[in-house]
């Protein structure tokens, strides 16, 4: 709950295209997402799904010498797949009662686990696995924090130097 509250107050940490988030979270009568965030340029919404920071992100297969998504993350990917399908179905022309919330090729970001102790192989594995998915991106809470820190640093440096 604390992580969700923080993310709701700081949606810009997901990227500079997300500076606000919607208070609406019901995309159907049975489906509630953690966050709907509008893309600034188009106004279309994307989905953010928050999982626990103590969940495992990647597991390692010694036999094949590769990393794969953990059980918890695989379930979250399936959940986001359903949410994306339902969101498009019910909000293609705007959600009933919230016509300004439109789903047009929405994407989902899953925030799960921690990566502060990862080695280069694990970082590379997550990058590769993400690159092969379409419409769903996986980041850890450490990645989210680093992304937010980077944006703050960039904006602070440009403000100090007087750059546009």
């Amino acid at each position: 709950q604390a992580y969700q509250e923080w993310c709701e107050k700081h949606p810009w940490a997901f990227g500079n295209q997300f500076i606000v988030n919607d208070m609406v979270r019901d995309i159907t009568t049975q489906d509630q997402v953690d966050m709907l965030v509008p893309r600034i340029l188009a106004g279309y919404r994307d989905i953010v799904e928050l999982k626990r920071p103590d969940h495992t992100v990647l597991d390692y297969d010694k036999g094949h010498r590769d990393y794969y998504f953990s059980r918890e993350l695989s379930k979250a990917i399936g959940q986001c797949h359903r949410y994306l399908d339902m969101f498009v179905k019910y909000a293609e022309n705007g959600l009933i009662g919230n016509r300004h919330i439109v789903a047009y090729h929405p994407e989902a970001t899953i925030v799960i686990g921690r990566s502060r102790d990862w080695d280069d192989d694990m970082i590379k594995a997550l990058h590769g696995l993400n690159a092969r998915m379409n419409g769903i991106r996986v980041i850890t809470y450490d990645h989210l924090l680093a992304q937010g820190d980077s944006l703050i640093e960039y904006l602070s440096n440009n403000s100090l130097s007087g750059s546009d």
Side-chain angles (χ1 to χ4, degrees), residues 2-11 14 35 50 141 144:
Y3 293 102
Q4 182 161 345
E5 289 174 9
W6 188 91
C7 289
E8 287 174 354
K9 290 179 184 173
H10 305 92
F14 291 93
M35 292 175 65
L50 304 171
Y141 282 93
L144 180 62

Side-chain angles (χ1 to χ4, degrees), residues 11-114:
W12 51 265
F14 291 93
N16 63 347
Q17 72 271 31
F18 304 114
I19 58 169
V20 296
N21 63 298
D22 290 314
M23 292 297 109
V24 175
R25 294 179 22 204
D26 293 325
I27 57 174
T28 72
T29 55
Q30 297 139 348
D31 297 298
Q32 185 180 75
V33 299
D34 288 331
M35 292 175 65
L36 280 175
V37 289
R39 289 188 177 269
I40 298 308
L41 295 177
Y44 302 128
R45 276 24 181 211
D46 286 343
I47 292 171
V48 174
E49 185 61 29
L50 304 171
K51 296 302 179 188
R52 294 171 45 128
D54 61 347
H55 279 330
T56 301
V57 179
L58 300 174
D59 286 323
Y60 187 74
D61 180 350
K62 291 181 183 179
H64 292 102
R65 299 181 315 278
D66 62 6
Y67 286 95
Y68 60 95
F69 290 136
S70 69
R71 183 176 193 279
E72 294 92 354
L73 180 50
S74 294
K75 286 171 58 176
I77 291 168
Q79 181 182 12
C80 282
H81 173 73
R82 175 180 160 63
Y83 285 166
L84 289 167
D85 283 351
M86 292 297 103
F87 190 39
V88 168
K89 181 177 179 178
Y90 289 97
E92 185 176 25
N93 297 309
L95 277 174
I96 293 175
N98 293 285
R99 291 288 179 203
H100 65 285
I101 297 178
V102 177
Y104 185 70
H105 297 282
E107 296 179 356
T109 299
I110 299 169
V111 186
I112 186 171
R114 303 292 306 268

